[in-house]
């Protein structure tokens, strides 16, 4: 079995969640780091992680690491890697990346050197002087950190947060991978009822439904590496079949509310595209009318922060309203993500538990109330 090293970038704060997920998938030597998780596996794991990971932003193949304190070192290090294992004679291989705290700080210059080194290696490997790059795309990514270069290939294409169900979104939507992490942290996938009274285009309740039903987030989309000649088609077919075997028929319902009728239409459309439309209902309501109705339920909420949709004072008033309508009730829990440092004071009571998460580069806290 060919053992491949992979890198799965992720949002800051969910590295441990992603690491646990990859271990459950069967990944080997899982090593969470800041903003990413490294792991090992075979071609089946490559396809499995792309299809089934709820938290990874993409899956990269790590081709090699080496010291790169000069352009000569960078060129020779890149040229020595086995590019022909993955890149075919006619394949395109654009290069992108970044450099931080390193002697080689010019990204355009590094891109040019890396491209030339790959071209020289592939010319020798395929015994040709011309590479037309008219075939499938094999995106090369590099990082140079503290004079160490890491060269990778992107197997995903579009970011894995793009499940395929949210082609149009409302204003300031939460990222699907962050929504999935909130579902995991709050154990909402085990709840029979999940509510979001500020649901927008429905991401939180859709991700809760996908998790509850065991539907792989990437089951309905494609990936760049599906077109590579270096990976047999059967690998993808087998992993999609495997993913569908984990789907389950469970009692689950989600309710979404919003004052905007247009975004509620988007939420219903998105739920249908995701395959969970039958268990999600929506209603045009004001959060002031929210009532924890029923014996039990989990409320997940990503209210406007005052960064884009509302000014800060309006957002603060919304937090006060939430503190009143999200009343303590046996069987009910509430989770609200916010960057506001005085959220608990505005909400009116301290959280029972907090979790630091990042919404993009914005540091937030997930405030959880169970009592």
């Amino acid at each position: 079995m060919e053992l491949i090293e992979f890198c799965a970038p992720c949002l800051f704060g969910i590295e441990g969640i992603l690491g646990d997920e990859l271990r459950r998938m069967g990944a080997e030597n899982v090593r969470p780091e800041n903003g990413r998780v490294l792991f090992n596996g075979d071609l089946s794991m490559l396809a499995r992680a792309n299809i089934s990971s709820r938290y990874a932003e993409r899956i990269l193949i790590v081709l090699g690491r080496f010291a790169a304190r000069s352009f000569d070192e960078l060129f020779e290090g890149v040229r020595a890697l086995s590019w022909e294992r993955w890149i075919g004679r006619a394949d395109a291989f654009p290069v992108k990346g970044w450099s931080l705290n390193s002697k080689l700080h010019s990204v355009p210059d590094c891109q040019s050197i890396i491209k030339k080194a790959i071209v020289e290696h592939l010319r020798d490997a395929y015994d040709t002087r011309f590479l037309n790059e008219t075939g499938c795309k094999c995106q090369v990514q590099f990082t140079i950190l503290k004079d160490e270069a890491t060269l990778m290939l992107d197997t995903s294409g579009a970011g894995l947060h793009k499940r395929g169900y949210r082609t149009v979104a409302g204003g300031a939507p939460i990222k699907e991978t962050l929504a999935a992490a909130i579902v995991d942290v709050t154990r909402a996938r085990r709840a029979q009822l999940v509510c979001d009274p500020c649901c927008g285009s429905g991401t939180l309740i859709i991700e809760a439904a996908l998790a509850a039903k065991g539907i792989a987030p990437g089951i309905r989309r494609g990936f760049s590496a599906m077109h590579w000649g270096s990976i047999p088609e059967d690998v993808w077919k087998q992993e999609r079949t495997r993913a569908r075997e984990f789907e389950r028929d469970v009692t689950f319902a989600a309710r979404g509310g919003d004052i905007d009728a247009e975004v509620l239409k988007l939420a219903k459309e998105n739920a249908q595209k995701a395959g969970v439309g039958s268990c999600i209902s929506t209603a045009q309501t004001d959060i002031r009318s929210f009532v924890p109705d029923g014996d039990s339920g989990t409320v997940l909420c990503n209210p406007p922060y005052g960064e884009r949709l509302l000014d800060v004072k309006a957002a603060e008033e919304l937090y006060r309203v939430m503190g009143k309508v999200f009343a303590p009730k046996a069987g009910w829990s509430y989770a609200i993500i916010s960057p506001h440092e005085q959220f608990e004071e505005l909400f009116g009571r301290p959280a029972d538990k907090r979790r630091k998460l990042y919404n993009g580069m914005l540091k937030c806290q997930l405030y959880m109330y169970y009592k």
Side-chain angles (χ1 to χ4, degrees):
M1 179 185 74
E2 179 186 15
L3 200 61
I4 306 160
E5 183 177 12
F6 298 103
C7 173
C10 64
L11 294 171
F12 287 105
I14 67 171
E15 298 91 346
I17 296 172
L18 173 56
D20 289 342
E21 176 188 54
L22 291 167
R23 291 185 189 97
R24 290 194 297 271
M25 288 184 193
E28 299 179 30
N29 195 22
V30 177
R31 295 102 68 200
E33 298 182 352
N34 285 336
R36 67 180 189 176
V37 177
L38 302 172
F39 63 101
N40 294 96
D42 57 10
L43 290 177
S44 294
M45 180 55 61
L46 182 157
R48 187 178 307 165
N50 272 296
I51 293 167
S52 298
S53 178
R54 301 186 190 281
Y55 318 115
E57 294 300 314
R58 58 184 65 250
I59 304 300
L60 307 168
I61 295 171
V62 180
L63 285 136
R65 299 182 188 84
F66 51 86
R69 292 153 297 198
S70 68
F71 287 128
D72 283 342
E73 281 189 332
L74 180 62
F75 183 89
E76 294 302 331
V78 171
R79 188 171 62 171
L81 300 176
S82 300
W83 297 99
E84 73 279 12
R85 167 63 183 89
W86 304 103
I87 301 175
R89 179 189 293 264
D91 292 344
F93 47 98
V95 177
K96 65 180 180 180
W98 52 264
S99 177
L100 185 65
N101 297 332
S102 299
K103 292 181 178 65
L104 302 181
H105 53 81
S106 171
V107 170
D109 287 342
C110 292
Q111 285 177 293
S112 178
I113 292 293
I114 290 169
K115 182 75 175 185
K116 289 177 182 177
I118 299 172
V119 167
E120 192 160 309
H121 178 100
L122 291 177
R123 281 175 176 171
D124 291 341
Y126 291 120
D127 192 21
T128 181
R129 302 313 301 164
F130 182 66
L131 301 169
N132 57 34
E133 296 193 55
T134 57
C136 63
K137 180 180 176 181
C138 300
Q139 178 68 60
V140 178
Q141 290 197 195
F142 71 89
T143 67
I144 305 177
L145 179 62
K146 295 180 180 178
D147 296 325
E148 181 181 75
T150 302
L151 274 295
M152 298 170 285
L153 285 175
D154 178 12
T155 71
S156 302
L160 295 182
H161 70 279
K162 296 183 178 181
R163 321 296 205 199
Y165 66 74
R166 200 176 75 178
T167 53
V168 181
I174 192 170
K175 205 170 189 180
E176 293 89 334
T177 43
L178 177 58
I182 291 172
V183 169
D184 182 90
V185 169
T186 59
R187 302 183 184 276
R189 68 187 183 281
R190 300 179 184 176
Q192 292 191 352
L193 174 64
V194 173
C195 303
D196 182 356
C198 302
C199 74
S201 52
T203 308
L204 276 165
I205 52 178
I206 291 171
E207 289 297 325
L210 290 172
K213 291 182 168 292
I215 299 173
I219 198 71
R220 288 172 169 80
R221 58 158 284 179
F223 310 95
S224 286
M226 290 175 60
H227 307 289
W228 297 1
S230 54
I231 303 175
E233 289 184 19
D234 284 350
V235 170
W236 297 97
K237 291 178 182 177
Q238 290 166 7
E239 287 304 319
R240 287 189 191 276
T241 299
R242 179 185 182 276
R244 290 191 175 96
E245 290 172 354
F246 284 91
E247 295 181 7
R248 48 189 178 265
D249 185 16
V250 296
T251 301
F252 177 85
R255 298 175 188 164
D258 205 284
I259 58 173
D260 187 336
E262 290 303 311
V263 297
L264 286 175
K265 289 181 182 178
L266 288 178
K268 285 297 290 182
E269 291 172 6
N270 291 341
Q272 291 293 342
K273 291 175 185 174
V276 294
S278 62
C279 62
I280 288 178
S281 61
T282 60
Q284 186 178 5
T285 58
D286 191 301
I287 194 171
R288 291 172 176 82
S289 65
F290 177 82
V291 175
D293 185 24
D295 294 333
S296 64
T298 297
V299 174
L300 307 178
C301 206
N302 174 44
Y305 300 161
E307 297 284 328
R308 288 177 284 176
L309 296 185
L310 292 175
D311 61 33
V312 174
K313 289 185 178 179
E316 290 176 347
E317 177 57 30
L318 182 59
Y319 297 154
R320 293 187 184 98
V321 170
M322 286 180 168
K324 295 175 182 177
V325 299
F326 293 172
K329 182 179 179 181
W332 280 79
S333 63
Y334 308 93
I336 307 101
I337 185 170
S338 172
H340 202 302
E341 293 183 359
Q342 280 76 50
F343 173 85
E344 291 166 300
E345 180 182 336
L346 294 162
F347 190 80
R349 59 186 190 274
D352 298 311
K353 188 178 180 181
R354 292 188 223 104
R355 175 75 178 250
K356 183 167 70 174
L357 295 172
Y358 281 79
N359 192 348
M361 295 305 294
L362 188 63
K363 185 173 74 172
C364 299
Q365 291 281 351
L366 182 65
Y367 297 95
M368 293 171 274
Y369 295 85
Y370 298 112
K371 301 172 185 176

